[in-house]
Amino acid sequence: MRGTVALSPTPASQTQHKPVYSFGRSILGLDKCNACIGTSICKKFFKEEIRFHNWLSPRLKLHPSFKKSYPGNYTDDSENWRPVVVSRLLTKYKHDVSDTNICASEAKGATCSIENVLRSTKRFQKWTSSNLLTPDLVQGLSSPMLRCPSQRLLDRIVRRYAEVLDAGSMLMKHFTDRDKLRLLYTLAVNPHPIMLQIFPGTEGWPFVRYYGSCGRMMVSTSTKPIRQSYGSSSETTADLAYQLLHVTQSLRTNGLNFLLYYTRVTDDMFGTFEDGRLFITDASTIGVIDKQEGLHQTDDRLQDYRDVFSCLSLNCKSSLPCQTVRESQSLLLICRDILPKLLQPSQNQNKNLQNEMDRLISLCGNSTLSDSSIINAANALMNLLQPLRPCSQHFTYRYPECKYNNAF
């Protein structure tokens, strides 16, 4: 099976009478490495320990081209399976456009060796000659995470990068040129998998688990999109709204002294695990400011830092300067774009309570107010929502603790 990936229907339904399909390496994007994410989880695919769901087309192509993610299953022992999401950094269509733009940047034809083009850039030549990832090496990239990078943040990226064998050192001496290109490519296209690695859920961060990558596909924990909870019972929506505010506050104030902030929010950005816990499922639009080292604003006026890597995500627009990021920015976006849909009026909801919720949501979503007013309104809303949260054995991650906690 070397060089192919086995595909089956969902593991539970597979029998000896079911056909086993296989498709080429191009589905995973292995034919595009080393302009890819990595290969840390390829063996799982080759051993059929990661499988896509059975909705794949008869031609064995991941469709439609505008989809970024696909449901799948993952196992460590071939008996116990867990749901996962297999996703691209960009949609297949956008990846193709990006690759075409790489060829065009060197006046190549419609097709070329995109890896050779990227390797020949001035930026990558600097990467190959450096053992330390410094702010100038990422300057000009469009990622919100790298808009104002500190050395402490970049050291953390190198130490936590899971696609190399010897993680743990802030020096890139153990990185091959291939490893450096993969890291640079990922940071330039979509830093989502990097965010999951440097701020892992095992350390209390509200991000889904990163299992690994193969080619241009990455595997992470499966969740239920938060939009599926719109219109649910009042206790369910109150619990999710409370968690959403709590998670957002924790990104603003944490022990590492990093300010993680939303640049925009969508329904697809948040999801819930089977036990009711809320996670951030898409970290691609989250920026990072190092409050310990201060701002290191990049300067896009220097054309030397604008190159093909600046547009690999097809988002060539520069992010707003770090100095313009408000302390309340993430809460403001949540209150404006998510909470009104989550905390809709309910027939079973006390009218006075609903009116107070609506008032506080309006306040914390009002960009004309001061940061302190927005934060205070969000805190007041959390206090209002806290006693409405259910204390039930169905929410195993906080039961039975809540049963014996008067402050719950």
Side-chain angles (χ1 to χ4, degrees):
M1 289 187 59
R2 188 176 182 84
T4 62
V5 179
L7 172 68
S8 75
T10 52
S13 64
Q14 187 183 19
T15 69
Q16 292 181 349
H17 303 291
K18 294 282 186 178
V20 175
Y21 303 102
S22 63
F23 53 86
R25 297 160 63 91
S26 61
I27 293 296
L28 295 172
L30 279 171
D31 58 326
K32 298 296 179 64
C33 281
N34 294 296
C36 60
I37 316 175
T39 56
S40 62
I41 209 167
C42 286
K43 288 183 179 180
K44 285 283 186 181
F45 280 102
F46 298 152
K47 293 167 63 177
E48 299 185 58
E49 293 176 347
I50 296 177
R51 298 171 179 169
F52 290 93
H53 274 315
N54 59 356
W55 56 264
L56 290 174
S57 70
R59 296 183 180 180
L60 306 177
K61 292 182 179 180
L62 299 178
H63 71 92
S65 62
F66 58 82
K67 283 184 67 68
K68 282 178 61 177
S69 60
Y70 309 89
N73 292 282
Y74 175 104
T75 186
D76 288 319
D77 56 17
S78 299
E79 294 183 3
N80 301 302
W81 294 82
R82 71 195 75 167
V84 293
V85 173
V86 185
S87 56
R88 297 185 175 103
L89 298 182
L90 300 173
T91 64
K92 177 65 166 59
Y93 170 76
K94 288 185 177 181
H95 264 308
D96 291 343
V97 172
S98 178
D99 291 345
T100 300
N101 290 345
I102 293 173
C103 293
S105 70
E106 291 292 319
K108 304 291 184 181
T111 60
C112 68
S113 171
I114 57 177
E115 178 176 345
N116 288 342
V117 172
L118 296 178
R119 282 179 177 273
S120 66
T121 59
K122 184 177 179 180
R123 184 190 297 270
F124 185 68
Q125 293 305 312
K126 289 183 178 179
W127 272 64
T128 58
S129 62
S130 176
N131 284 326
L132 188 67
L133 184 57
T134 53
D136 66 293
L137 294 179
V138 298
Q139 190 163 341
L141 301 184
S142 61
S143 164
M145 183 181 75
L146 299 173
R147 183 59 187 166
C148 37
S150 67
Q151 189 59 57
R152 190 166 71 107
L153 174 64
L154 297 179
D155 289 345
R156 188 174 182 85
I157 291 174
V158 174
R159 287 199 311 269
R160 299 297 185 93
Y161 186 48
E163 295 301 317
V164 294
L165 294 178
D166 280 329
S169 171
M170 68 181 184
L171 296 177
M172 296 190 291
K173 290 182 178 180
H174 58 291
F175 280 48
T176 64
D177 287 355
R178 176 198 64 194
D179 297 327
K180 290 183 177 181
L181 180 58
R182 291 175 178 177
L183 175 57
L184 174 56
Y185 179 84
T186 306
L187 290 172
V189 176
N190 186 341
H192 169 63
I194 305 299
M195 289 287 288
L196 303 190
Q197 293 169 52
I198 64 176
F199 300 116
T202 54
E203 296 178 4
W205 295 92
F207 298 107
V208 292
R209 178 179 175 181
Y210 174 80
Y211 285 102
S213 299
C214 184
R216 288 183 169 180
M217 291 285 196
M218 62 164 282
V219 181
S220 58
T221 307
S222 176
T223 60
K224 181 179 76 172
I226 194 174
R227 65 176 180 275
Q228 293 185 13
S229 297
Y230 294 167
S232 298
S233 65
S234 56
E235 65 174 12
T236 297
T237 55
D239 176 65
L240 290 178
Y242 180 91
Q243 288 190 74
L244 189 56
L245 289 167
H246 177 75
V247 161
T248 303
Q249 291 277 40
S250 70
L251 297 183
R252 184 175 64 87
T253 56
N254 54 76
L256 288 183
N257 227 5
F258 285 116
L259 166 62
L260 279 65
Y261 62 93
Y262 309 144
T263 57
R264 62 183 177 87
V265 295
T266 64
D267 296 336
D268 296 329
M269 189 172 169
F270 307 95
T272 57
F273 198 49
E274 56 189 6
D275 62 2
R277 281 180 294 176
L278 183 138
F279 292 90
I280 296 174
T281 57
D282 183 358
S284 59
T285 61
I286 294 181
V288 181
I289 292 177
D290 190 337
K291 294 192 289 185
Q292 181 170 304
E293 290 192 6
L295 298 179
H296 293 263
Q297 179 68 33
T298 58
D299 190 352
D300 287 332
R301 293 173 299 177
L302 301 177
Q303 288 299 115
D304 287 346
Y305 291 101
R306 303 291 293 176
D307 58 12
V308 64
F309 285 101
S310 303
C311 292
L312 289 186
S313 66
L314 306 182
N315 176 23
C316 303
K317 297 180 181 179
S318 300
S319 304
L320 293 175
C322 297
Q323 290 86 345
T324 65
V325 176
R326 299 181 59 175
E327 184 77 11
S328 63
Q329 177 165 305
S330 296
L331 291 170
L332 178 65
L333 292 175
I334 288 296
C335 292
R336 188 190 70 187
D337 299 335
I338 303 294
L339 290 186
K341 293 180 286 187
L342 185 59
L343 294 175
Q344 299 174 18
S346 169
Q347 293 181 348
N348 300 325
Q349 188 69 272
N350 179 280
K351 187 174 182 180
N352 291 333
L353 181 61
Q354 184 65 52
N355 289 339
E356 181 62 9
M357 283 185 189
D358 293 341
R359 185 184 75 84
L360 292 173
I361 292 173
S362 178
L363 287 176
C364 70
N366 188 344
S367 61
T368 65
L369 298 180
S370 65
D371 285 334
S372 60
S373 297
I374 293 172
I375 293 172
N376 288 338
N379 289 335
L381 182 57
M382 288 182 67
N383 291 334
L384 190 67
L385 293 169
Q386 189 171 15
L388 304 179
R389 304 172 71 201
C391 183
S392 167
Q393 59 185 344
H394 296 295
F395 297 87
T396 55
Y397 76 98
R398 64 171 183 266
Y399 184 89
E401 286 81 1
C402 60
K403 187 175 181 180
Y404 306 105
N405 186 354
N406 294 329
F408 176 76

